Amino acid sequence: MGGTTNCEKLAGVFNRASQQGKSAFCKMLWGNQPETVQDQLRPLLSAETIDALRSEDD
């Protein structure tokens, strides 16, 4: 995302996608983020998003 990642906007994408039942998209997007970005995102994610990232099924 061009050098700097706007974590609030990215967290919004994760949260909206998880609300829409798109856990596979969330997992793919999460897997493409560097660990430093993941660390910044965690506090901004909803419980629903965190559950989607942890779920085994898509």
Side-chain angles (χ1 to χ4, degrees), residues 11-44:
V13 171
F14 275 104
N15 291 332
R16 280 189 304 277
S18 68
Q19 288 173 344
Q20 296 170 0
K22 298 178 181 176
S23 62
F25 173 76
C26 289
K27 289 178 189 179
M28 181 274 305
L29 188 58
W30 183 258
N32 287 327
Q33 303 308 311
E35 192 171 326
T36 54
V37 173
Q38 289 179 356
D39 290 342
Q40 293 174 40
L41 284 171
R42 277 188 189 93
L44 303 173

